[in-house]
């Protein structure tokens, strides 16, 4: 909010299976202005677990390094809480999936689209892509082409196919230079949507 000069209070809800992370959440709270952080113990694999938050009231969902680590459990457990989340997501809300590998994005997008209408954005980070879903009409043909290439996990010509599709926007870095450019990622995220001005920005959760 401070970066964009928004005069709002942002509410964060941190959900994790390990209660020990509450200490880290409380530490962040001490350093962030106009921010309220609430910690909840919960399991994203629990399909019918207790609803800690009302999904339709949340603007941004962030899944950080949890999808690939729980891939088998998600597949064997009807994808846990994800279907309910996809069905309840409010219009224009964002779901950001940040993982070091992108092999599950095609099936996550397929699941999301079976539940609701989503726009797909793929952010180039290191050797792969982060996935961003925006609740709204599907419009991204390039994203679908990238997902098709990703789904062909046995392809040895992935980089060549992606370079042909994306042109100068696709860059393969040497291993020694594979570092996340945080500023570039933030610019990509902030440029995902161009909305009409609707007055004062709403608080994010």
């Amino acid at each position: 909010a401070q970066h964009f000069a928004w005069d709002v209070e942002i509410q964060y809800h941190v959900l994790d299976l390990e209660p020990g992370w509450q200490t880290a959440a409380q530490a962040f709270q001490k350093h962030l202005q106009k921010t309220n952080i609430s910690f909840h113990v919960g399991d994203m694999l629990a399909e019918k677990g207790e609803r800690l938050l009302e999904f339709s009231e949340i603007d941004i969902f962030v899944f950080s390094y949890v999808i690939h680590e729980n891939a088998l459990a998600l597949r064997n457990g009807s994808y846990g809480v994800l279907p309910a989340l996809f069905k309840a997501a409010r219009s224009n809300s964002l779901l950001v999936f940040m993982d070091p590998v992108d092999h599950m994005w095609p099936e996550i997008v397929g699941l999301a689209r079976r539940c609701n209408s989503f726009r797909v954005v793929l952010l180039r980070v290191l050797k792969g892509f982060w996935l961003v879903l925006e609740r709204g009409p599907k419009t991204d043909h390039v994203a679908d082409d990238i997902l098709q290439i990703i789904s062909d996990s046995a392809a040895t010509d992935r980089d060549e196919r992606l370079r042909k599709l994306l042109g100068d926007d696709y860059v393969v870095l040497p291993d020694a230079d594979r570092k996340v450019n945080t500023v570039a990622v933030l610019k990509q995220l902030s440029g995902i949507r161009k909305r009409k001005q609707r007055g004062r920005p709403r608080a994010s959760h």
Side-chain angles (χ1 to χ4, degrees), residues 119 186-194:
R119 179 188 176 203
L186 287 174
K187 286 182 178 179
Q188 291 182 78
L189 282 171
S190 64
I192 288 174
R193 300 171 295 178
K194 291 184 179 179

Side-chain angles (χ1 to χ4, degrees), residues 104-124:
M104 281 197 69
W105 297 162
E107 57 189 285
I108 294 297
V109 170
L111 172 65
R113 285 176 169 169
R114 289 193 296 273
C115 296
N116 225 321
S117 177
F118 286 94
R119 179 188 176 203
V120 178
V121 176
L122 292 161
L123 303 179
R124 181 84 168 104

Side-chain angles (χ1 to χ4, degrees), residues 163-184:
R163 188 180 293 107
K164 182 177 180 180
L165 175 66
L166 300 175
D168 293 338
D169 290 334
Y170 184 74
V171 179
V172 179
L173 299 175
D175 287 340
D177 296 330
R178 294 188 191 279
K179 299 177 181 178
V180 177
N181 186 331
T182 306
V183 174

Side-chain angles (χ1 to χ4, degrees), residues 39-111:
F39 183 85
H40 311 272
V41 176
D43 188 357
M44 68 170 290
L45 299 175
E47 182 179 355
K48 296 182 179 180
E50 180 183 357
R51 181 70 63 85
L52 299 174
L53 302 168
E54 188 59 46
F55 296 145
S56 61
E57 297 179 356
I58 299 176
D59 296 311
I60 302 175
F61 301 85
V62 178
F63 298 82
S64 180
Y65 288 71
V66 295
I67 299 299
H68 77 291
E69 293 179 354
N70 296 283
L72 183 61
L74 284 167
R75 288 166 175 156
N76 292 340
S78 301
Y79 294 93
V81 74
L82 290 180
L85 191 157
F86 291 147
K87 291 175 183 177
R90 73 194 306 170
S91 180
N92 296 320
S93 60
L94 291 176
L95 296 91
V96 183
F97 296 84
M98 303 181 296
D99 272 9
V101 293
D102 52 28
H103 61 85
M104 281 197 69
W105 297 162
E107 57 189 285
I108 294 297
V109 170
L111 172 65

